[in-house]
DNA sequence: GAAACGTGGCG
DNA sequence: TCGCCAAGTTT
């Protein structure tokens, strides 16, 4: 061991190579005394849970423009927050985001707590996010252990124990490296390293500030680390979605229950999604017509093939399930992606991806 | 500890 | 087409 693994080496790399993000205070500005806004750090960290930076950026800008402070967010309507989150996935995050904002506004005077333990009590904040907010927003020497840090530590110390069994060991190693000074920049630096240099495939070891002391690279095993327990294969489920349009243009929609898949989101009424043949579940009496093709979508633990049926219904008939939403209140972008795919199939392939179009009237 | 929980990009 | 992966948390 000729050369110790030094956090300062990484900080120097970060000073030159830090990525620019809408929520980030660059190391230069940080040095000049600029402090990050804990509200923005918290929001970015929740959005970044299991989600790529590229996907998050747009949502982050949109959310913080619409709700600039935690008290603004706490006062928002549930449906507005869920609609704004639509498309980002893992919708329990949006429900917990709002819950957390209301707790911070009501019980913490609108100020996020700074300690790991206190942050951990808040909805939607687990060990990673608590450490991220504590270190990045408040510069306390907490250690973040996300997928990037797991990969970097596994390679740096040539850990062959598979995840998630190796987590405690990786945490110990990561904590030992965490500096007392510049803890926030250091946390972001390890994650930037993992995201841009120490990548899952084709790591750019030639550019790595920790190239020389890296035990995995020395052993030649780095590319196969971290080891992971094999994943299960995804079954295929089938379902039917019903898209009813009233003659005045209103669509029949339902708000899904808070628990479970797509909880709290807007969606088309439909059958259960099961591995066998789905049972018809028409939300109202009508001339239902099958649309040719199917909407395909993959969730975390199953593939879905969704048959879509449509109907045009008169004004004087009420549904058994769901409610008609006036055309001027309906934005396809408020739907989770699978529901938007069903809508696109029903309306003839025109893609509806933009959140830019405002509701034609607010009320 | 295991399973549930979304989505899009990439090889 | 398909599996892997991305700044995890909750139950």
């Amino acid at each position: 061991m000729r050369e110790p693994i030094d956090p300062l080496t990484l900080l120097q790399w970060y000073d030159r190579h830090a990525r620019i993000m809408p929520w980030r205070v660059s190391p230069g500005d940080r040095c000049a005394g600029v402090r990050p806004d804990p509200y923005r750090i918290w929001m970015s960290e929740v959005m970044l849970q299991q989600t790529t930076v590229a996907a998050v950026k747009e949502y982050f800008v949109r959310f913080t423009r619409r709700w600039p402070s935690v008290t603004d967010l706490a006062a928002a309507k549930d449906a507005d927050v869920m609609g704004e989150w639509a498309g980002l996935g893992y919708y329990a995050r949006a429900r917990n985001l709002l819950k957390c904002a209301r707790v911070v506004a009501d019980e913490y005077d609108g100020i996020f707590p700074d300690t790991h333990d206190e942050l951990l009590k808040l909805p939607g904040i687990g060990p990673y996010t608590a450490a991220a907010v504590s270190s990045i927003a408040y510069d306390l020497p907490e250690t973040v252990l996300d997928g990037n840090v797991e990969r970097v530590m596994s390679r740096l110390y040539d850990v062959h124990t598979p995840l998630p069994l190796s987590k405690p060991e990786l945490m110990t190693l990561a904590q030992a490296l965490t500096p007392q000074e510049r803890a926030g920049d250091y946390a972001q630096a390890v994650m930037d390293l993992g995201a841009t240099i120490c990548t899952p495939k084709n790591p750019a070891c030639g550019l790595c500030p920790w190239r020389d002391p890296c035990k995995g690279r020395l052993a030649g095993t780095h590319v196969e680390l971290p080891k992971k327990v094999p994943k299960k294969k995804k079954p295929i489920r089938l379902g039917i979605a019903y898209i009813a349009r009233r003659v005045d243009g209103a669509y029949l929609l339902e708000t899904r229950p808070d628990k479970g898949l797509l909880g709290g989101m807007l969606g088309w009424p439909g059958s259960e999604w099961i591995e066998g043949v789905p049972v018809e579940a028409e939300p109202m009496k009508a001339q239902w017509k099958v649309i040719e093709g199917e909407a395909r979508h993959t969730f975390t633990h199953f593939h879905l093939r969704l048959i879509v049926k449509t109907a045009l219904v008169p004004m004087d008939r009420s549904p058994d399930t769901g409610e008609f939403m006036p055309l001027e209140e309906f934005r396809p972008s408020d739907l989770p992606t699978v529901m938007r795919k069903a809508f696109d199939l029903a309306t003839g392939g025109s893609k509806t991806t933009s959140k830019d179009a405002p509701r034609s009237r607010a009320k």
Side-chain angles (χ1 to χ4, degrees):
Chain A
M1 167 194 305
R2 60 177 68 79
E3 198 157 347
I5 298 164
D6 185 355
L8 282 182
T9 311
L10 183 65
L11 280 167
Q12 286 164 6
W13 171 83
Y14 183 70
D15 287 339
R16 284 179 290 119
H17 299 289
R19 290 179 292 172
I20 293 168
M21 319 263 202
W23 50 85
R24 178 176 281 181
V25 173
S26 68
D29 289 349
R30 198 68 223 268
C31 191
V34 179
R35 298 286 156 186
D37 178 355
Y39 168 66
R40 294 166 62 87
I41 297 303
W42 161 72
M43 178 160 309
S44 68
E45 290 302 339
V46 172
M47 288 182 169
L48 286 162
Q49 292 166 6
Q50 298 288 283
T51 309
T52 57
V53 167
V56 164
K57 279 183 176 169
E58 220 179 297
Y59 282 85
F60 175 83
V61 170
R62 197 174 288 276
F63 263 74
T64 52
R65 195 153 54 201
R66 185 163 178 183
W67 299 293
S69 75
V70 69
T71 48
D72 295 324
L73 182 59
K77 288 184 204 160
D78 292 38
D80 287 342
V81 173
M82 298 314 287
E84 206 63 80
W85 195 277
L88 199 53
Y90 284 137
Y91 298 101
R93 294 185 295 173
R95 301 195 300 275
N96 286 328
L97 188 83
L98 196 44
K99 269 191 213 164
C100 182
R102 287 171 179 162
V103 173
V104 171
D106 296 344
E107 297 174 27
Y108 290 84
D109 210 18
I111 315 267
F112 277 86
D114 59 350
T115 64
H116 187 276
D117 281 4
E118 204 66 22
L119 286 161
L120 208 46
K121 295 176 187 167
L122 296 168
I125 297 188
Y128 164 77
T129 306
V133 172
S134 190
S135 62
I136 299 172
Y138 294 109
D139 227 15
L140 296 177
E142 296 292 341
T143 300
V144 294
L145 185 65
D146 73 329
N148 289 304
V149 182
E150 287 169 357
R151 185 169 56 255
V152 170
M153 293 301 135
S154 300
R155 291 173 174 173
L156 215 45
Y157 294 98
D158 199 30
V159 175
H160 287 238
T161 313
L163 282 166
L165 194 66
S166 56
K167 268 192 179 222
E169 183 183 356
L170 297 175
M171 181 49 119
T172 303
L173 293 167
Q175 280 171 333
L177 271 183
T178 305
Q180 296 297 117
E181 306 292 319
R182 297 190 66 189
D185 279 348
Y186 176 78
Q188 296 175 91
V190 195
M191 294 191 282
D192 269 22
L193 186 74
T196 63
I197 305 287
C198 195
T199 49
K201 292 164 197 167
N202 306 314
C205 297
L207 302 175
C208 180
W210 279 339
R211 166 182 66 255
D212 292 337
C214 180
K215 293 181 168 46
R217 193 187 65 85
L218 260 354
T221 52
H222 56 298
V223 288
E224 53 192 78
L225 297 176
K227 305 266 193 194
K228 295 189 179 180
V229 297
K231 299 183 178 169
K232 282 195 213 164
K233 199 179 165 205
K234 291 178 172 135
I236 297 172
R237 294 192 195 174
L238 306 178
I240 309 167
Y242 301 89
I243 302 182
R245 183 181 163 92
R246 208 165 54 184
V247 290
D248 67 342
Y251 281 106
L252 181 58
L253 288 152
E254 63 179 10
T255 299
R256 299 168 63 89
D258 273 353
K259 298 280 180 186
L261 194 68
L262 308 179
M265 297 301 290
L266 214 49
W268 309 111
S271 70
E272 298 291 297
W273 297 343
I274 55 177
E275 287 183 46
V277 178
V279 179
E280 290 284 350
E282 300 177 352
M284 64 184 296
K285 193 167 178 302
Q287 292 284 319
W288 291 104
K289 188 174 143 232
V290 181
I291 300 293
E292 187 183 321
E294 58 190 9
R296 289 194 179 201
H297 191 73
T298 299
F299 292 96
T300 312
H301 51 296
F302 65 92
H303 300 287
L304 177 67
R305 296 182 182 182
L306 198 56
I307 295 297
V308 178
K309 300 193 177 190
T310 61
L312 186 63
V313 303
M315 294 298 293
D316 60 354
R317 206 179 294 165
S318 50
D320 303 317
T321 303
E323 291 175 20
F324 281 100
M325 178 178 285
L327 188 58
E328 64 267 22
E329 285 177 26
F330 173 61
R331 287 194 309 177
S333 66
D334 285 346
L335 297 171
T337 300
V338 63
M339 298 295 176
R340 198 174 42 68
K341 284 182 181 175
F343 182 69
D344 286 344
L345 180 64
T347 54
S350 63
K351 295 300 179 235
T352 52
T353 49
S354 172
K355 278 188 179 290
D356 290 340
R359 288 177 182 78
S360 36
R361 281 189 339 183
K363 189 179 69 67

